Amino acid sequence: MNTESSVRVRIAPSPTGNIHVGLARTALFNELFARKHAGAFIIRIEDTDKKRSKPEYEQAITEGLKWIGLTWQEGPDIGGEYGPYRQSERTRLYKEVLLKLVESGAAYICYCAPKEKGGGETHTCDCSVAPGDINTAKKYVIRLRVEPQKISFTDIIRGEVSVHTDSFGGDFVIARSVDDPLFHLAVVVDDALMNITHVIRGEDHLHNTIKHILLQRACGYSQPQYAHLPLLLDEQRRKLSKRAGETNLLAYRDMGYLPQAMLNYLALLGWAPKDNQEIFSHEELVQTFSLGDVQKSGAIFSIEKLKSINKHYIRQLSPAELFKQSKPFLEQQNIDISDEQHITAALVTEQERVTTLAELPEVVMFFLPGWEADYSPEMLVWKKSTPARTTELLAMLKDQLQDISADQYSADGLQDTLLAWIDTENLGRGDTLWPMRVALTGREKSPGPFEVAGVLGKEETLRRVTIAQEKITHANIS
């Protein structure tokens, strides 16, 4: 039985595409399990697919996992005692194992033409070739010899699992040649040589696990404990694929999601604590996470739920952190951020309203110097009010704003002073404050006029109210 102090887990992604949110979820569960049990979390790159594997995809994997805050103790980027951590650099190890398997009779060289996928037939043939007699001029594969049997193992999440070897066609291919191992052989050798104690991966690997147990037995390796995570499903309960919706983890960074929100949300995909808490810091997850609380059924990837969690985390940002996180999105829109204090104040007014950071450039545009009032004059008129009354109220508002001292020119000061004036004069809050909002923002939906005026300052506020006066005075509104 593995002790907690010896826990070693890994993820073994293939660098053949962008980092999938499903891989990120699996990596997170592995990291949480390792940290909770004072163990090691390892990244190992399975780049046996030489045609499709690319360095930029490997970089995206580590970049994406670092973005959501994961750390690992061994990997291709940092090395470690059990390296190398790329399968392409471990070919010699696989060849040694393959030759031993063939020599022992546990595996054999097969010259048979490959059968079409989905044939459902159990492979049988009379191929029997000693390693030294391999005819490299002919195309061959190496197959593991499989006796018909039922293989059972205890899954940490799913309990007892049993699969008959007939379900995958008996003798299966473990290498295209002695120098070209397939995934099944490589992953088993790597897990054994790296002393992996627990394999935590997706449910779609369940049949692979049966093959891997057979290989472990043939090689004389000990069997790690397995935990198969529920599949990620879209909102139509279909398997979440790269072609169905946005599954690239780093795309969510570019869409304005916070890393702590993504980490929190990924943890909830298939796992839930007994008290139904939903908001967790990384450290809280380490303390709370348990594979025993992982569900068996598929986990729905809901964009709306992710948005809700992201909105929560945006609201928790300090003004300085909000500016820092928003900076890349503001710069993408060529917004001048040299006046950090002014931009930060503007961002704070929208902090409670936005769902993603990418929304901020658009919603703070009206705070920028040189803002042009391109709204229609009709917008200034509140419901049952009239253009004439609106013109009159704007003139009165301008006089009031002019009289407010600089030390009262804040959101709270403006609110206290202007509301008292409106109520005393019985002017109507909607009739007065609506044209003020439109005059300052040009929008029907925006932060309140007091908040906006407090950020803009007295001079700019008066300039915009004056523009509004001119607009409605010269407009032909009935």
Side-chain angles (χ1 to χ4, degrees), residues 383-403:
K383 293 185 177 180
K384 295 182 179 180
S385 188
T386 64
R389 179 59 175 162
T390 302
T391 303
E392 181 184 2
L393 287 170
L394 283 171
M396 296 168 66
L397 174 65
K398 184 177 176 182
D399 289 340
Q400 285 295 317
L401 290 169
Q402 187 71 60
D403 291 341

Side-chain angles (χ1 to χ4, degrees), residues 71-190:
T71 57
W72 45 95
Q73 288 66 55
E74 303 168 34
D77 56 332
I78 58 176
E81 182 182 351
Y82 295 86
Y85 294 91
R86 295 185 185 90
Q87 286 186 341
S88 58
E89 300 169 7
R90 300 172 64 84
T91 305
R92 176 186 59 82
L93 301 170
Y94 308 139
K95 185 173 183 179
E96 290 175 1
V97 174
L98 283 167
L99 291 175
K100 287 179 181 178
L101 287 172
V102 174
E103 288 170 355
S104 69
Y108 60 94
I109 308 300
C110 179
Y111 293 113
C112 297
K115 291 184 173 64
E116 291 186 11
K117 290 183 178 180
E121 298 179 21
T122 300
H123 181 85
T124 56
C125 69
D126 298 322
C127 296
S128 180
V129 181
D133 298 329
I134 297 174
N135 182 358
T136 55
K138 293 176 63 177
K139 191 171 184 178
Y140 71 92
V141 296
I142 301 176
R143 291 181 180 273
L144 186 74
R145 202 179 301 277
V146 179
E147 295 296 326
Q149 59 188 294
K150 182 180 287 187
I151 301 295
S152 299
F153 70 96
T154 301
D155 187 279
I156 297 173
I157 296 170
R158 300 173 184 281
E160 192 72 13
V161 176
S162 296
V163 178
H164 200 281
T165 55
D166 288 348
S167 66
F168 53 77
D171 300 353
F172 60 93
V173 179
I174 58 176
R176 299 182 189 90
S177 74
V178 292
D179 297 309
D180 192 4
L182 293 184
F183 158 76
H184 300 299
L185 185 283
V187 72
V188 166
V189 172
D190 290 342

Side-chain angles (χ1 to χ4, degrees), residues 1-9 33-34 37-40 82 154 156 191-192 194-200 216 221-227 291:
M1 187 70 172
N2 294 305
T3 62
E4 289 192 357
S5 60
S6 64
V7 163
R8 287 176 58 81
V9 298
F33 183 79
H37 297 285
Y82 295 86
T154 301
I156 297 173
D191 283 348
M194 293 181 181
N195 289 338
I196 300 302
T197 61
H198 298 74
V199 175
I200 305 169
Q216 289 156 5
Y221 298 150
S222 61
Q223 180 181 313
Q225 295 184 54
Y226 286 96
L291 286 174

Side-chain angles (χ1 to χ4, degrees), residues 273-445:
K274 293 180 174 60
D275 62 2
N276 294 319
Q277 179 181 344
E278 289 192 329
I279 300 300
F280 293 90
S281 69
H282 198 165
E283 292 306 315
E284 288 173 329
L285 286 170
V286 171
Q287 298 303 317
T288 310
F289 179 78
S290 169
L291 286 174
D293 293 327
V294 174
Q295 67 191 41
K296 297 178 184 179
S297 57
I300 304 295
F301 188 91
S302 166
I303 293 295
E304 291 308 310
K305 185 66 175 178
L306 174 58
K307 286 180 178 178
S308 174
I309 291 175
N310 197 60
K311 191 168 187 175
H312 166 83
Y313 278 96
I314 288 177
R315 289 177 174 180
Q316 305 308 307
L317 295 176
S318 67
E321 188 64 22
L322 179 64
F323 175 80
K324 178 183 176 183
Q325 294 285 356
S326 305
K327 186 176 177 181
F329 299 94
L330 299 173
E331 290 176 333
Q332 285 172 11
Q333 299 300 319
N334 297 315
I335 292 175
D336 182 2
I337 58 174
S338 57
D339 188 346
E340 182 175 335
Q341 183 176 356
H342 177 73
I343 294 295
T344 300
L347 292 170
V348 167
T349 68
E350 293 287 0
Q351 189 171 4
E352 294 284 325
R353 298 171 178 84
V354 296
T355 300
T356 70
L357 297 174
E359 297 170 15
L360 285 169
E362 173 64 21
V363 297
V364 301
M365 284 290 188
F366 57 79
F367 285 104
L368 302 179
W371 173 79
E372 295 183 5
D374 56 357
Y375 58 89
S376 66
E378 287 85 355
M379 280 182 63
L380 290 162
V381 182
W382 172 250
K383 293 185 177 180
K384 295 182 179 180
S385 188
T386 64
R389 179 59 175 162
T390 302
T391 303
E392 181 184 2
L393 287 170
L394 283 171
M396 296 168 66
L397 174 65
K398 184 177 176 182
D399 289 340
Q400 285 295 317
L401 290 169
Q402 187 71 60
D403 291 341
I404 297 175
S405 61
D407 61 341
Q408 289 183 296
Y409 224 86
S410 64
D412 291 340
L414 288 164
Q415 179 171 322
D416 292 344
T417 303
L418 292 179
L419 288 182
W421 165 64
I422 291 170
D423 292 344
T424 299
E425 298 294 329
N426 197 27
L427 301 176
R429 292 190 177 188
D431 287 354
T432 310
L433 296 179
W434 176 260
M436 180 180 176
R437 175 197 293 269
V438 174
L440 299 184
T441 70
R443 300 180 182 184
E444 295 181 352
K445 294 181 180 180

